[in-house]
Amino acid sequence: MKRIAVIGAGIAGLTCAYELSEAGYEVVVFESRAQVGGRMSSRTTNEFIFDLGADHLCNLYEEMKGYCAKFHIEWEPMRFLRYGVFREGEIRSMQDVIGPLSKARLALQQVLTRNVGDFFNLSELANHDSGDAYSFMRRRAGKEVADYLVDAFTSTYQFHRADEISVGALMGVMKSIQRDQKKWDLHRTKGGMQALPNAFAERLDVRLNHHVQEVVTGTHVTVDGELFNGAVLASPATVTKQLYKNPSTEQREILDAARYATTISVALKIDRENLPDTAIVWVPFVESEKISGYVNEAMKGEEVIHDGKSLVCTWLHEGFAKTLMNQPDKDVFSQVKQEFVRVCPWVNDVSEVESFDLERWPEAMPKFYPGSLKRVNTYLDGPGQGAQNVFLCGDYLNSPWTEGALRCGQRVAQQVIEKLPA
Ligand SMILES: Cc1cc2nc3c(=O)[nH]c(=O)nc-3n(C[C@H](O)[C@H](O)[C@H](O)COP(=O)(O)OP(=O)(O)OC[C@H]3O[C@@H](n4cnc5c(N)ncnc54)[C@H](O)[C@@H]3O)c2cc1C
């Protein structure tokens, strides 16, 4: 039986480990934290579930839904779905945030966008990786659309500006929104984001609190002195770069090329009766250089509402997040609350907002910057992936969000099976 080490129990590593173990491999998963899930996990304090990273899922997540059904995890719709965009002191609907001319130009652009490829596998969009999304949309649909929709979308979900994301990624999202409309309706796993990672972990040999220091290849792959036939490195690229001591040229190049946006997820407690049934508010950078968006957790129902209170999760633009990264929690809360009151008309005063919990994410989201889609695609098709029996894995490999990372885990498991038959 072949022994495979998986470094990192995020959703990519766990999925890969599960598929390998089902295929008959002896798999050991190493995880530096005290719990599995990485950027897909939750912390429960006084009965409130705080989803630390990924906050919501949707029906486009077909592979994830499949595992949830298999493990009897309830996949439930959010109680309400309305989106808003903050503009000039108020929250407007997506339709009303731009004027009629911008709307017409956007509609035309949507019609002109061909059926491109799957957003969760950006390698399929590598042919469209020819510039940045902001310039592209500004040219085609004007500044208002670029600022209030494209840049706002990128800031809310990627925490960085749209001039740093490839037009290929934008086209994938735009086409999917148009084609799959209802499938974008938000869902969650009952019990919080932790439910699926926990279900995988129950079926695997996971070593928690083991921060891997060193992976070295020779006749075998050695992980902190322990021998394996192969290894899947499913930690963020910045970490993998440190711990993998002798990568091949292609592996080193792709790790060097990965970039991430930073954010802090800050959970605030607010009276439920002050919160309207609006699920998510995008805050465009032209309106705030600090908060990029916030999520009304009351959409998740009873599990997140207690004693008449609910949580609102705020995410920060990368520049602001970096300035707060090393500050004490109380200072982070104080600065975020001050700005939150300015961009959230649901509250009048800082005294209506309680600090609840926060999580710092130095590597929150990979930047799928112009040129990176092609570069990663070339790497994945070349001799680098699996060189020395080491396989890279994770969302930074053209695999956005939890569903992208999960599918990356599935693909990497397949690559291991082909290269190192059980
Ligand atoms: C604030 C935020 C909001 C988000 N919102 C959404 C959302 O609403 N919907 C959505 O689908 N996606 C969302 N995402 C994106 C999604 O969470 C990620 O794309 C996905 O979870 C990445 O999974 P991964 O397995 O590639 O990486 P990770 O989850 O980062 O997994 C890597 C794992 O490696 C471990 N590790 C690191 N170093 C070592 C070491 N030396 N030894 C052992 N283990 C190590 C880490 O602890 C971690 O568990 C969000 C992300 C953030 C940060």
Side-chain angles (χ1 to χ4, degrees):
M1 193 190 260
K2 294 240 166 60
R3 294 191 85 216
I4 306 291
V6 175
I7 318 301
I11 195 65
L14 287 169
T15 308
C16 184
Y18 175 75
E19 289 301 329
L20 288 174
S21 136
E22 288 288 282
Y25 293 79
E26 185 191 333
V27 184
V28 179
V29 183
F30 295 89
E31 168 55 46
S32 56
R33 291 190 171 210
Q35 66 182 56
V36 296
R39 280 171 281 156
M40 185 181 188
S41 51
S42 335
R43 187 158 51 230
T44 304
T45 316
N46 300 332
E47 294 184 88
F48 284 93
I49 299 175
F50 168 37
D51 290 323
L52 312 178
D55 185 86
H56 38 271
L57 314 166
C58 71
N59 272 339
L60 284 170
Y61 292 24
E62 296 289 353
E63 295 301 316
M64 190 177 287
K65 269 169 37 185
Y67 288 113
C68 287
K70 193 170 182 182
F71 303 150
H72 308 291
I73 296 170
E74 213 174 301
W75 182 266
E76 57 176 21
M78 300 297 186
R79 306 298 195 273
F80 47 86
L81 295 170
R82 210 169 54 227
Y83 284 80
V85 185
F86 182 76
R87 182 167 188 174
E88 291 152 18
E90 57 182 29
I91 295 173
R92 303 192 190 173
S93 70
M94 295 276 163
Q95 289 75 27
D96 295 332
V97 79
I98 52 172
L101 180 61
S102 297
K103 255 187 239 174
R105 291 180 75 181
L106 177 63
L108 178 65
Q109 195 47 50
Q110 279 175 325
V111 173
L112 293 177
T113 306
R114 276 168 296 148
N115 212 353
V116 278
D118 178 15
F119 172 72
F120 294 118
N121 182 0
L122 295 176
S123 292
E124 289 187 12
L125 292 142
N127 287 344
H128 303 277
D129 185 17
S130 56
D132 75 89
Y134 186 86
S135 313
F136 178 87
M137 282 307 271
R138 192 179 164 157
R139 246 184 351 260
R140 304 283 179 102
K143 185 166 169 13
E144 195 178 35
V145 170
D147 283 341
Y148 282 92
L149 294 178
V150 179
D151 199 41
F153 175 88
T154 315
S155 293
T156 305
Y157 294 106
Q158 299 288 129
F159 319 120
H160 64 80
R161 312 290 307 280
D163 59 358
E164 279 194 275
I165 195 163
S166 166
V167 70
L170 171 78
M171 287 167 100
V173 170
M174 265 174 64
K175 204 63 208 173
S176 171
I177 291 173
Q178 198 186 353
R179 185 187 53 218
D180 307 313
Q181 287 175 8
K182 278 300 280 175
K183 288 195 162 186
W184 280 82
D185 284 358
L186 301 181
H187 283 67
R188 70 189 288 261
T189 46
K190 199 164 179 60
M193 282 291 161
Q194 196 67 50
L196 181 58
N198 280 354
F200 274 129
E202 277 165 23
R203 293 159 173 85
L204 292 165
D205 175 5
V206 182
R207 299 193 194 158
L208 295 173
N209 300 308
H210 185 131
H211 183 86
V212 171
Q213 305 284 344
E214 190 175 82
V215 173
V216 191
T217 61
T219 47
H220 281 75
V221 180
T222 310
V223 177
D224 289 348
E226 195 172 335
L227 296 186
F228 292 89
N229 300 101
V232 174
L233 308 188
S235 39
T238 41
V239 176
T240 301
K241 212 169 110 173
Q242 301 297 323
L243 62 85
Y244 186 14
K245 300 302 175 192
N246 59 336
S248 72
T249 307
E250 293 87 355
Q251 289 169 335
R252 191 178 46 247
E253 278 171 6
I254 209 69
L255 292 171
D256 281 344
R259 294 184 209 154
Y260 287 88
T262 295
T263 198
I264 305 178
S265 183
V266 182
L268 306 170
K269 212 196 277 182
I270 298 180
D271 278 343
R272 167 66 180 108
E273 61 183 27
N274 286 355
L275 300 173
D277 285 355
T278 293
I280 298 174
V281 177
W282 300 359
V283 184
F285 192 81
V286 289
E287 295 287 342
S288 168
E289 295 182 9
K290 296 179 174 175
I291 288 181
S292 67
Y294 48 93
V295 185
N296 180 355
E297 298 287 302
M299 69 179 172
K300 297 178 179 174
E302 301 71 39
E303 278 196 340
V304 297
I305 303 169
H306 300 285
D307 302 329
K309 302 261 183 190
S310 180
L311 301 182
V312 171
C313 250
T314 59
W315 293 332
L316 310 183
H317 286 291
E318 59 170 346
F320 185 49
K322 278 184 184 149
T323 67
L324 297 180
M325 220 44 169
N326 299 315
Q327 294 195 28
D329 289 3
K330 70 171 184 15
D331 296 347
V332 177
F333 279 122
S334 154
Q335 294 199 46
V336 170
K337 283 198 293 197
Q338 235 171 333
E339 181 66 355
F340 179 70
V341 169
R342 195 182 73 74
V343 297
C344 179
W346 305 337
V347 289
N348 302 309
D349 188 80
V350 173
S351 62
E352 295 171 28
V353 183
E354 259 176 74
S355 310
F356 181 70
D357 199 352
L358 59 80
E359 186 71 23
R360 294 171 176 80
W361 295 110
E363 286 99 13
M365 286 288 185
K367 291 184 176 175
F368 302 108
Y369 59 87
S372 68
L373 273 53
K374 277 186 189 147
R375 189 200 297 265
V376 169
N377 190 33
T378 306
Y379 165 79
L380 290 171
D381 277 352
Q385 182 68 336
Q388 315 181 112
N389 295 336
V390 171
F391 300 78
L392 305 183
C393 185
D395 60 351
Y396 69 96
L397 294 173
N398 279 351
S399 304
W401 300 349
T402 52
E403 173 75 1
L406 178 150
R407 292 190 198 179
C408 181
Q410 291 176 325
R411 284 194 297 274
V412 172
Q414 210 45 51
Q415 291 160 358
V416 174
I417 292 167
E418 279 161 27
K419 176 115 200 271
L420 293 168

